Amino acid sequence: ERIGMNYVKAKVVGNNKSIYIPVTDGSLVSLANEMEIKEALGLDKIDNPLPCGYIEMYEEKDKITIPVHFNSHFLIGPEGAHLNISGISGLAAKTSYAMFLMKAIQEMYHKFHKKESLAFVMLNVKGRDLLAIDELADKNKELENDVFPVYDLLGLAKKPFDNVKYFYPYSKEIYPTTHASVNDVKSQISRGKAFQFKYIFEHDYDNIDLLFANIDDPQETMESIVNYISTRQGKFANITNWEELKQELLNHTKAGAKDTEKNITVASWRKFYRLFNKAYEKNKSLFANRCVDNEVRMKEVISQISKNDVFVIDIAKLDEETQGFVFGDVMRAIYDLKLGTTERNEKDIPSRIIIFIDELNKYASKDVPKSSPILKQILDISERGRSLGIILFAAEQFKSDIHDRVKGNCATHAYGRTNVIEVSKHDYQFVPSVYKSMLTRLKQGEYIIQNPIFRSLLNIKFPKPIYKQYKNG
């Protein structure tokens, strides 16, 4: 056999014996054990521990599996807050990782944080992803051999989410507004676990600006029209339902229309009417005049959210404008609740509310108009949410697309598999080249985590969801 030599270039991340010279010729070296690895990575003294995954070291013969914990105060406050998850569609499993963390948070806070309370609001934006999170997945070999052992390693109970309620866009036949099975929805409603939500003209008229959140409005004509009708000027003062609003908007699109501000042209009214009518006609059942049994308004529901509640709001089948309308309405309701504008006693309101939204690029990308009311709300939450107890967990395919002030205020970042073009962008300039290379090769169920308490980036793994999932389509 030929003589060989191993050459190792190492970065020293910790030194517990004040030995600062390089390893000398002939010195004995060995693989670090579990405690030494934890010490080197800063995982040995984590306050307020919250499971975030595990790391595997070395090859099969010497493999060590080590649980990894966040300091929860740097994830959901008060020291730091907000989580951003990025990665290409499918392989990165962004929703699965966010759900794993929120499941751990719900369980840990229920056990160890008796003086504080927490609730969750999740937006289901893809198929049936989140529409059975309180049901345990069907038992199979993978669940028992691969998933359950990880839950044991991390000290988590092998059960799905507790206290879950589902909210579906109203439709008499159910199926036009959700990907969920009609029988499943009816079963959830009969058990008091699901409701259908509507927007009632009398109470939700003021939120009409949310329908135009992503519309470019350089001359601010759309904003002027919103202000004109929301302050009930002219003939809009006597409107009592959505159909009358549509008709009055139509009247303003006609040549020579009167009773309007002089600086708003007929062309602007036509554009406004066209955009409003598109959303209204597609979701006519959603815009109503009253609620009856098992029907609710999201703002009222959010105002009554309690400790340990998990609200799942299904918007997957709605068009993009109406999705934004619902998302914006929910965020405003949470913001109003935490600012104390409701009549509830402050002690009864959860001290922290976590909002989870996938496809953040729809609402907070660099291309979203600066005048967007939803973008303004997200910016406010990212900058002031920590002090108010509003925590944003958001995911998107490409981190580089997201508004700098949003991602800049996230204390924790999770990077899933992405492509070479993405890692060459400015957002990744601080990432060492070895991690950039890893980002293009990560497997499903792997993330590279950045958190203030870790001494370096960590390549962690996490288990597949323990709750029931449906294949989309």
Side-chain angles (χ1 to χ4, degrees), residues 252-263:
H252 282 72
T253 66
K254 297 173 182 176
K258 297 180 180 180
D259 185 37
T260 183
E261 289 188 333
K262 294 180 181 178
N263 63 334

PDB file of all heavy atoms in Angstrom, residues 252-263:
ATOM      1  N   HIS A 252     -70.150  54.895 -10.977  1.00  0.00           N
ATOM      2  CA  HIS A 252     -69.045  55.838 -11.096  1.00  0.00           C
ATOM      3  C   HIS A 252     -68.137  55.541 -12.288  1.00  0.00           C
ATOM      4  O   HIS A 252     -67.233  56.332 -12.585  1.00  0.00           O
ATOM      5  CB  HIS A 252     -68.212  55.839  -9.811  1.00  0.00           C
ATOM      6  CG  HIS A 252     -68.836  56.622  -8.695  1.00  0.00           C
ATOM      7  ND1 HIS A 252     -69.941  56.185  -8.015  1.00  0.00           N
ATOM      8  CD2 HIS A 252     -68.515  57.836  -8.158  1.00  0.00           C
ATOM      9  CE1 HIS A 252     -70.275  57.068  -7.092  1.00  0.00           C
ATOM     10  NE2 HIS A 252     -69.424  58.085  -7.152  1.00  0.00           N
ATOM     11  N   THR A 253     -68.361  54.418 -12.951  1.00  0.00           N
ATOM     12  CA  THR A 253     -67.534  54.097 -14.123  1.00  0.00           C
ATOM     13  C   THR A 253     -68.122  54.675 -15.408  1.00  0.00           C
ATOM     14  O   THR A 253     -67.488  54.608 -16.461  1.00  0.00           O
ATOM     15  CB  THR A 253     -67.406  52.569 -14.306  1.00  0.00           C
ATOM     16  OG1 THR A 253     -68.696  52.023 -14.620  1.00  0.00           O
ATOM     17  CG2 THR A 253     -66.851  51.915 -13.051  1.00  0.00           C
ATOM     18  N   LYS A 254     -69.312  55.227 -15.319  1.00  0.00           N
ATOM     19  CA  LYS A 254     -69.980  55.733 -16.513  1.00  0.00           C
ATOM     20  C   LYS A 254     -69.516  57.148 -16.845  1.00  0.00           C
ATOM     21  O   LYS A 254     -69.283  57.951 -15.941  1.00  0.00           O
ATOM     22  CB  LYS A 254     -71.499  55.711 -16.302  1.00  0.00           C
ATOM     23  CG  LYS A 254     -72.035  54.292 -16.104  1.00  0.00           C
ATOM     24  CD  LYS A 254     -73.492  54.288 -15.736  1.00  0.00           C
ATOM     25  CE  LYS A 254     -73.986  52.858 -15.485  1.00  0.00           C
ATOM     26  NZ  LYS A 254     -75.389  52.819 -15.027  1.00  0.00           N
ATOM     27  N   ALA A 255     -69.360  57.409 -18.115  1.00  0.00           N
ATOM     28  CA  ALA A 255     -68.909  58.729 -18.550  1.00  0.00           C
ATOM     29  C   ALA A 255     -69.858  59.809 -18.029  1.00  0.00           C
ATOM     30  O   ALA A 255     -71.074  59.648 -18.066  1.00  0.00           O
ATOM     31  CB  ALA A 255     -68.839  58.772 -20.078  1.00  0.00           C
ATOM     32  N   GLY A 256     -69.287  60.871 -17.506  1.00  0.00           N
ATOM     33  CA  GLY A 256     -70.087  61.966 -16.986  1.00  0.00           C
ATOM     34  C   GLY A 256     -70.631  61.725 -15.599  1.00  0.00           C
ATOM     35  O   GLY A 256     -71.509  62.466 -15.142  1.00  0.00           O
ATOM     36  N   ALA A 257     -70.138  60.679 -14.934  1.00  0.00           N
ATOM     37  CA  ALA A 257     -70.610  60.383 -13.572  1.00  0.00           C
ATOM     38  C   ALA A 257     -70.322  61.545 -12.643  1.00  0.00           C
ATOM     39  O   ALA A 257     -69.258  62.154 -12.698  1.00  0.00           O
ATOM     40  CB  ALA A 257     -69.927  59.120 -13.054  1.00  0.00           C
ATOM     41  N   LYS A 258     -71.271  61.853 -11.788  1.00  0.00           N
ATOM     42  CA  LYS A 258     -71.120  62.955 -10.846  1.00  0.00           C
ATOM     43  C   LYS A 258     -70.979  62.403  -9.430  1.00  0.00           C
ATOM     44  O   LYS A 258     -70.878  61.208  -9.221  1.00  0.00           O
ATOM     45  CB  LYS A 258     -72.326  63.894 -10.944  1.00  0.00           C
ATOM     46  CG  LYS A 258     -72.472  64.554 -12.309  1.00  0.00           C
ATOM     47  CD  LYS A 258     -73.681  65.481 -12.344  1.00  0.00           C
ATOM     48  CE  LYS A 258     -73.808  66.124 -13.721  1.00  0.00           C
ATOM     49  NZ  LYS A 258     -74.982  67.028 -13.795  1.00  0.00           N
ATOM     50  N   ASP A 259     -70.992  63.326  -8.489  1.00  0.00           N
ATOM     51  CA  ASP A 259     -70.930  62.946  -7.078  1.00  0.00           C
ATOM     52  C   ASP A 259     -69.638  62.169  -6.775  1.00  0.00           C
ATOM     53  O   ASP A 259     -69.643  61.076  -6.263  1.00  0.00           O
ATOM     54  CB  ASP A 259     -72.138  62.084  -6.699  1.00  0.00           C
ATOM     55  CG  ASP A 259     -72.149  61.783  -5.194  1.00  0.00           C
ATOM     56  OD1 ASP A 259     -71.768  62.673  -4.424  1.00  0.00           O
ATOM     57  OD2 ASP A 259     -72.493  60.642  -4.836  1.00  0.00           O
ATOM     58  N   THR A 260     -68.524  62.752  -7.145  1.00  0.00           N
ATOM     59  CA  THR A 260     -67.226  62.141  -6.859  1.00  0.00           C
ATOM     60  C   THR A 260     -66.180  63.231  -6.756  1.00  0.00           C
ATOM     61  O   THR A 260     -66.401  64.364  -7.185  1.00  0.00           O
ATOM     62  CB  THR A 260     -66.847  61.127  -7.940  1.00  0.00           C
ATOM     63  OG1 THR A 260     -65.626  60.510  -7.577  1.00  0.00           O
ATOM     64  CG2 THR A 260     -66.651  61.799  -9.296  1.00  0.00           C
ATOM     65  N   GLU A 261     -65.024  62.875  -6.202  1.00  0.00           N
ATOM     66  CA  GLU A 261     -63.934  63.847  -6.104  1.00  0.00           C
ATOM     67  C   GLU A 261     -63.441  64.188  -7.505  1.00  0.00           C
ATOM     68  O   GLU A 261     -63.295  63.315  -8.363  1.00  0.00           O
ATOM     69  CB  GLU A 261     -62.796  63.276  -5.258  1.00  0.00           C
ATOM     70  CG  GLU A 261     -63.153  63.179  -3.778  1.00  0.00           C
ATOM     71  CD  GLU A 261     -61.942  62.798  -2.933  1.00  0.00           C
ATOM     72  OE1 GLU A 261     -61.033  62.141  -3.451  1.00  0.00           O
ATOM     73  OE2 GLU A 261     -61.928  63.175  -1.752  1.00  0.00           O
ATOM     74  N   LYS A 262     -63.125  65.460  -7.730  1.00  0.00           N
ATOM     75  CA  LYS A 262     -62.737  65.916  -9.060  1.00  0.00           C
ATOM     76  C   LYS A 262     -61.427  65.308  -9.538  1.00  0.00           C
ATOM     77  O   LYS A 262     -61.214  65.170 -10.736  1.00  0.00           O
ATOM     78  CB  LYS A 262     -62.644  67.447  -9.067  1.00  0.00           C
ATOM     79  CG  LYS A 262     -63.982  68.146  -8.864  1.00  0.00           C
ATOM     80  CD  LYS A 262     -63.823  69.648  -8.868  1.00  0.00           C
ATOM     81  CE  LYS A 262     -65.174  70.347  -8.644  1.00  0.00           C
ATOM     82  NZ  LYS A 262     -65.025  71.817  -8.606  1.00  0.00           N
ATOM     83  N   ASN A 263     -60.539  64.943  -8.589  1.00  0.00           N
ATOM     84  CA  ASN A 263     -59.231  64.445  -9.005  1.00  0.00           C
ATOM     85  C   ASN A 263     -59.220  62.941  -9.277  1.00  0.00           C
ATOM     86  O   ASN A 263     -58.185  62.367  -9.565  1.00  0.00           O
ATOM     87  CB  ASN A 263     -58.166  64.776  -7.948  1.00  0.00           C
ATOM     88  CG  ASN A 263     -58.451  64.096  -6.618  1.00  0.00           C
ATOM     89  OD1 ASN A 263     -59.589  63.800  -6.311  1.00  0.00           O
ATOM     90  ND2 ASN A 263     -57.403  63.859  -5.837  1.00  0.00           N
TER      91      ASN A 263
END
